[in-house]
């Protein structure tokens, strides 16, 4: 029953937009057929699925004209954006509101995002934009507009899944940027966060504890974000179903304490332990979901656990798989587009794997093996969703998840209650002392243990093999016979490292302040060979016969870089071993010649894959973030130019 309804929900989202009405006709025919054969329960569930799709997908949003240079005003306290629109406004008509994301950059270059702001078009004749006395309005100009798209970039798909009208990047005056950061506290959730920030912001570990406990990583630097992602710990520091599991365990402990003191009258009236668990844990789960601003993973996990406890309370003899499938149907019923979210697939896949791996025994050795299995499976599931991951990811998860579940999370919750109730910091001071060592250990692992990149799997065959091994693993009583499966998965997963598949095809290395172009065998060019002849420093020929651009190593003498020599050799890119002087930068900018820096001890690697060249700079570890260093931006531009100029 549920599988047929799930297929209806999933199909309605994945089918192209132009075939939605045809697909709805198919659903109606299915319902009529089920009624004809008296499959009334299945027909009802399918009909409910169809109604959910109709309510969510067939009610489109009216388009709105947005473009760069358009003026707007922002009221931060009311979370409203007023847009000067040239559309026709009817007298006394109620202004429409649209859910949008507001993005802007501070003076230090950091990116800020405000979600769930209401965009309200107003008449160009409205005096709101011309009244200089209105201090509540912060005026700006649109610099970029990102529209949601089902098959677009990851950002566009995210907007589509969240049903946002658009994401607006706005340019504000420097004097107004500080005003944007000041928001009046209007909800209890915001008051709690403000109290905790004011009390704990001086502790260096609070930026990680805030993410672990409350799902808020706004205190993270770009370096912190990279460390967490490369170690495969994003699920731990961005509130997920794992945190809901922590709250579930805390709720069970509270329930046991309450159960010990329950009056005999309630026990004689038929109250069971599952009733007590349901009454205590469900409000606790959804209260935690409220504090974390109703994050999708938390809601999904809360629905799963609530359905599980409800089945146990009603003494329904159903399998855990059926309960989780029912929870998946409920989640898709509430928001069908979440089927396009990778987080949904990862959350429910891990729960299904947890059920498949779980045994009745609770021995420490079994729990350790279970953790290794789940960490290994998660690495396979995120294959391709993330650019690279540390080879120590499994060990990091095996170490940190028990520490977080047993010590960090409950102790952190107690410390937060101490701050809110008593205003003291004794508990967190002790916790911060221990977290300092954990933070140092994570940094050491992230920057010392080798990182391997998933895009080195040139075909889908290794991924298919690993997925098949996981399916076999679950079906064959994994804690008894899964050892060979996990070894096979590790062999495939780490094969690029063991087989040295990461070795660059071409490498530009700065060793002892000498630039050299090398292949896998020997050196091809060094900057000491050329003297003043730029033609001897050309290395673009080693990148393939189809490369049209001309790229050189910088000569030892900057005097050789004259406009005449650059124009004569038609140079497009120059690789420097030290930052060029300002006069050289100005000359290169005037001649439209790009440059890239490879400092002492750094390297620039070229990988040839499927008629495409991939570049990796040894000092550009943050290349997949929006806020890139200057070197990363230049590497990204160089890579795009190299591939664009291939015929």
């Amino acid at each position: 029953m549920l599988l047929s309804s799930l297929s209806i929900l999933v199909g309605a989202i994945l089918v192209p937009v132009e075939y939605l009405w045809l697909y709805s006709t198919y659903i109606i025919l299915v319902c009529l057929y089920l009624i004809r054969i008296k499959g009334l329960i299945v027909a009802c569930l399918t009909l409910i699925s169809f109604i959910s799709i109709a309510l969510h997908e067939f009610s489109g949003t009216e388009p709105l004209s947005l473009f760069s240079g358009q003026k707007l005003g922002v009221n931060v306290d009311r979370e409203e954006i007023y847009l000067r629109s040239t559309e026709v406004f009817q007298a006394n008509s109620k202004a429409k509101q649209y859910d949008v994301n507001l993005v802007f950059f501070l003076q230090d270059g950091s990116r800020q995002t405000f979600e769930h702001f209401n965009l309200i078009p107003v008449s160009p004749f409205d005096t709101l934009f011309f009244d200089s006395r209105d201090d509540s309005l912060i005026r700006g100009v649109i610099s970029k507009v990102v529209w949601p798209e089902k098959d677009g970039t990851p950002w566009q798909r995210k907007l589509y899944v969240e049903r946002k009208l658009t994401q607006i990047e706005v340019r504000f005056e420097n004097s107004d940027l500080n005003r944007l950061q000041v928001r009046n506290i209007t909800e209890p959730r915001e008051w709690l966060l403000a109290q905790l920030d004011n009390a704990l912001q001086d502790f260096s570990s609070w930026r990680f504890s805030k993410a672990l406990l409350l799902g808020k990583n706004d205190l993270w630097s770009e370096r912190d974000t990279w460390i967490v992602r490369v170690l495969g710990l994003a699920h731990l520091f961005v509130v997920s179903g794992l945190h809901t599991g922590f709250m579930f365990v805390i709720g069970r402990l509270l329930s046991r304490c309450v159960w010990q003191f329950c009056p005999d009258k309630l026990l004689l009236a038929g109250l069971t332990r599952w009733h007590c668990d349901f009454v205590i844990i469900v409000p606790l789960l959804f209260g935690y979901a409220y504090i974390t601003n109703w994050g999708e993973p938390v809601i999904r996990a809360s629905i799963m656990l609530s359905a599980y406890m409800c089945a146990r309370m009603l003494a329904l003899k159903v399998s855990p798989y059926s309960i989780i499938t029912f929870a998946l149907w409920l989640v898709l019923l509430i928001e069908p587009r979440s089927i396009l979210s990778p987080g949904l697939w990862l959350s429910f896949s891990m729960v299904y794997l947890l059920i498949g791996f779980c045994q009745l025994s609770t021995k420490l050795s079994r729990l350790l093996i279970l953790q290794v299995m789940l960490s290994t499976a998660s690495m396979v599931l995120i294959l391709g969703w993330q650019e690279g991951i540390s080879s120590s990811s499994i060990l990091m998860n095996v170490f940190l998840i028990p520490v977080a579940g047993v010590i960090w999370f409950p102790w952190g919750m107690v410390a937060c209650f101490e701050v809110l109730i008593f205003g003291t910091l004794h508990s967190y001071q002790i916790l911060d002392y221990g977290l300092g060592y954990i933070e140092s250990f994570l940094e050491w692992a992230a920057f010392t243990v080798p990182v391997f990149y998933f895009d080195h799997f040139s075909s889908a065959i290794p991924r298919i093999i690993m997925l098949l091994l996981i399916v076999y693993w679950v079906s064959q009583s994994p804690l008894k016979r899964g050892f060979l499966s996990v070894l096979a998965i590790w062999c495939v997963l780490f094969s690029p490292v063991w087989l040295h598949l990461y070795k660059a095809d071409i490498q530009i290395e700065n060793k002892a302040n000498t630039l050299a172009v090398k292949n896998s065998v020997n050196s091809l060019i060094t900057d000491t060979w050329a003297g003043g002849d730029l033609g001897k420093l050309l290395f673009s020929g080693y990148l393939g016969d189809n490369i049209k651009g001309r790229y050189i190593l910088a000569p030892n003498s900057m005097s050789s870089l004259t406009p005449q020599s650059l124009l004569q050799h038609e140079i497009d890119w120059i690789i420097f071993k030290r930052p060029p002087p300002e006069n050289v930068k100005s000359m290169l900018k005037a001649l439209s010649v790009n440059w890239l820096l490879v400092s002492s001890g750094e390297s620039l690697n070229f990988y040839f894959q499927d008629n495409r060249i991939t570049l990796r700079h040894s000092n550009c570890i943050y290349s997949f973030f929006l806020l890139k260093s200057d070197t990363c931006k230049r590497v990204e531009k160089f890579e795009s130019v190299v591939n664009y100029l291939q015929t």
Side-chain angles (χ1 to χ4, degrees):
M1 293 186 299
L2 286 174
L3 290 178
S4 63
S5 297
L6 275 174
S7 64
I8 293 293
L9 283 170
V10 173
I13 297 301
L14 301 182
V15 72
V17 177
E18 55 269 20
Y19 296 110
L20 274 178
W21 285 106
L22 179 62
Y23 191 79
S24 65
T25 305
Y26 159 75
I27 297 175
I28 293 173
L29 292 176
V30 170
C31 291
L32 293 175
Y33 171 75
L34 292 172
I35 294 173
R36 176 71 175 81
I37 64 174
K38 297 182 180 180
L40 297 181
I41 297 179
V42 182
C44 289
L45 293 178
T46 305
L47 186 60
I48 292 173
S49 301
F50 172 68
I51 293 174
S52 174
I53 291 295
L55 293 176
H56 285 89
E57 301 303 318
F58 294 155
S59 55
T61 303
E62 295 183 13
L64 183 66
S65 176
L66 291 171
F67 51 87
S68 299
Q70 202 169 6
K71 295 182 179 180
L72 51 74
V74 178
N75 189 315
V76 178
D77 295 334
R78 299 178 62 178
E79 298 184 344
E80 291 178 343
I81 302 173
Y82 301 95
L83 176 73
R84 286 189 69 172
S85 177
T86 58
E87 298 175 354
V88 179
F89 285 81
Q90 297 179 358
N92 301 324
S93 63
K94 186 178 180 180
K96 298 182 177 63
Q97 297 186 12
Y98 304 87
D99 186 13
V100 301
N101 287 350
L102 174 65
V103 178
F104 59 94
F105 290 89
L106 301 178
Q107 295 183 21
D108 59 1
S110 60
R111 176 189 176 97
Q112 298 291 315
T113 302
F114 289 161
E115 297 186 349
H116 303 296
F117 266 53
N118 292 322
L119 179 64
I120 306 175
V122 297
S123 169
F125 303 104
D126 196 319
T127 58
L128 180 67
F129 289 94
F130 304 100
D131 187 2
S132 60
R133 294 171 298 177
D134 187 0
D135 296 331
S136 65
L137 206 64
I138 304 174
R139 295 163 182 81
V141 178
I142 297 177
S143 59
K144 184 179 179 181
V145 179
V146 179
W147 296 99
E149 188 174 337
K150 184 177 180 180
D151 301 317
T153 63
W155 296 108
Q156 290 177 307
R157 292 198 297 269
K158 186 174 185 293
L159 292 174
Y160 178 83
V161 171
E162 295 176 351
R163 299 183 183 276
K164 299 291 180 63
L165 171 71
T166 185
Q167 178 171 288
I168 306 174
E169 186 176 305
V170 183
R171 183 175 63 256
F172 296 99
E173 296 293 336
N174 292 337
S175 58
D176 291 330
L177 290 176
N178 293 331
R179 295 172 58 195
L180 287 166
Q181 299 300 297
V182 180
R183 305 178 64 179
N184 292 332
I185 298 175
T186 58
E187 294 187 27
R189 172 177 58 232
E190 296 177 350
W191 179 84
L192 289 174
L193 294 176
Q195 292 294 108
L196 293 175
D197 277 336
N198 291 334
L200 302 173
Q201 61 185 353
D202 293 333
F203 293 98
S204 63
S205 64
W206 173 239
R207 67 188 193 278
F208 288 111
S209 295
K210 186 178 181 181
L212 175 72
L213 302 174
L214 305 171
K216 301 292 183 181
N217 58 2
D218 52 307
L219 302 179
W220 283 7
S221 65
E222 189 177 348
R223 184 173 183 268
D224 296 333
T225 306
W226 182 82
I227 290 174
V228 169
R229 289 193 60 177
V230 82
L231 292 177
L233 299 173
H235 63 97
L236 189 61
F237 290 101
V238 178
V239 165
S240 63
L242 181 65
H243 301 74
T244 310
F246 293 158
M247 293 301 298
F248 176 80
V249 174
I250 293 175
R252 287 293 298 270
L253 294 176
L254 292 176
S255 176
R256 289 189 179 185
C257 295
V258 172
W259 178 257
Q260 298 297 326
F261 298 98
C262 276
D264 295 338
K265 292 182 178 180
L266 294 178
L267 301 181
L268 294 175
L271 179 69
T272 65
R273 204 167 190 175
W274 285 108
H275 289 86
C276 186
D277 286 345
F278 186 86
V279 170
I280 293 176
I281 296 176
V282 171
L284 186 65
L285 294 180
F286 285 95
Y288 182 67
Y290 167 76
I291 293 176
T292 56
N293 200 20
W294 303 107
E296 287 187 9
V298 177
I299 294 176
R300 289 196 294 263
S302 298
I303 292 176
M304 281 189 281
L305 292 172
S306 299
Y308 167 75
M309 288 186 292
C310 184
R312 290 293 180 263
M313 182 181 65
L314 299 176
L316 299 178
K317 295 182 179 180
V318 292
S319 67
Y321 288 110
S322 299
I323 295 174
I324 301 307
T325 304
F326 177 71
L328 176 59
W329 181 71
L330 283 179
V331 170
L332 293 179
L333 198 67
I334 297 171
E335 178 47 78
R337 285 189 184 180
S338 60
I339 195 64
L340 300 174
S341 173
L344 178 88
W345 292 96
L346 187 59
S347 296
F348 280 94
S349 297
M350 293 305 296
V351 174
Y352 280 115
L353 289 173
L354 179 62
I355 296 172
F357 290 153
C358 190
Q359 302 289 316
L360 296 177
S361 175
T362 57
K363 294 181 179 179
L364 182 61
S365 60
R366 290 294 183 94
L367 295 176
L368 181 62
I369 295 174
L370 176 63
Q371 182 59 57
V372 171
M373 289 178 170
L374 291 175
S375 300
T376 302
S378 66
M379 289 186 69
V380 176
L381 291 174
I382 67 173
L383 191 62
W385 293 353
Q386 186 170 312
E387 186 181 67
I389 196 166
S390 173
S391 53
S392 65
S393 173
I394 296 176
L395 294 179
M396 289 297 104
N397 277 273
V398 171
F399 162 72
L400 202 58
I401 289 179
V403 170
V406 177
I407 302 175
W408 194 347
F409 191 88
W411 197 329
M413 283 294 180
V414 171
C416 289
F417 278 112
E418 180 189 353
V419 170
L420 296 173
I421 297 174
F422 302 104
T424 56
L425 306 173
H426 304 302
S427 298
Y428 198 83
Q429 286 175 344
I430 300 174
L431 179 62
D432 180 71
Y433 179 78
L435 293 181
Y437 292 100
I438 294 179
E439 182 180 343
S440 301
F441 175 67
L442 293 180
E443 291 184 357
W444 173 85
F447 291 100
T448 306
V449 181
V451 176
F452 64 93
Y453 297 90
F454 289 146
D455 57 7
H456 282 273
F457 290 103
S458 57
S459 70
I461 295 178
R463 308 182 190 195
I464 295 174
I465 291 175
M466 287 187 286
L467 289 174
L468 292 176
L469 285 171
I470 288 180
V471 173
Y472 171 79
W473 194 6
V474 176
S475 63
Q476 293 295 320
S477 185
L479 292 184
K480 295 181 180 178
R481 306 188 190 95
F483 186 67
L484 294 178
S485 294
V486 72
L487 285 181
I489 292 175
W490 286 353
C491 288
V492 178
L493 190 62
F494 293 96
S495 60
V497 177
W498 295 335
L499 300 177
H500 303 287
L501 298 181
Y502 287 161
K503 196 167 185 179
D505 296 283
I506 297 293
Q507 182 184 63
I508 299 177
E509 183 183 21
N510 187 337
K511 191 172 183 179
N513 282 321
T514 298
L515 277 179
V517 180
K518 304 177 181 179
N519 60 13
S520 57
V521 180
N522 51 31
S523 296
L524 303 175
I525 300 175
T526 65
D527 60 358
T528 59
W529 293 358
D533 187 359
L534 298 187
K536 295 181 180 180
L537 294 174
L538 283 168
F539 66 88
S540 47
Y542 298 105
L543 303 182
D545 298 332
N546 297 328
I547 297 295
K548 293 182 179 179
R550 296 174 68 83
Y551 319 130
I552 65 168
L553 300 180
N556 282 325
S557 175
M558 289 293 178
S559 60
S560 301
L561 291 178
T562 63
Q564 294 78 10
S565 62
L566 293 173
L567 292 174
Q568 177 186 355
H569 294 282
E570 300 178 348
I571 303 303
D572 297 299
W573 278 82
I574 302 177
I575 308 299
F576 288 100
K577 62 183 177 183
R578 61 176 66 92
E582 291 300 325
N583 62 328
V584 174
K585 291 182 182 180
S586 301
M587 177 189 65
L588 297 179
K589 183 178 181 181
L591 296 174
S592 298
V593 177
N594 295 287
W595 59 274
L596 180 63
L597 180 64
V598 179
S599 301
S600 180
E602 297 177 355
S603 63
L604 179 66
N605 301 318
F606 296 77
Y607 301 90
F608 304 150
Q609 294 178 344
D610 298 331
N611 297 321
R612 178 177 175 82
I613 299 177
T614 301
L615 270 67
R616 298 200 186 281
H617 194 288
S618 60
N619 198 36
C620 189
I621 57 177
Y622 311 121
S623 60
F624 47 86
F625 289 104
L626 292 175
L627 302 177
K628 306 179 182 70
S629 65
D630 181 68
T631 299
C632 296
K633 292 178 181 178
R634 294 180 184 275
V635 171
E636 187 179 67
K637 183 178 181 180
F638 193 13
E639 179 179 295
S640 63
V641 169
V642 169
N643 289 284
Y644 176 75
L645 291 177
Q646 294 189 83
T647 56

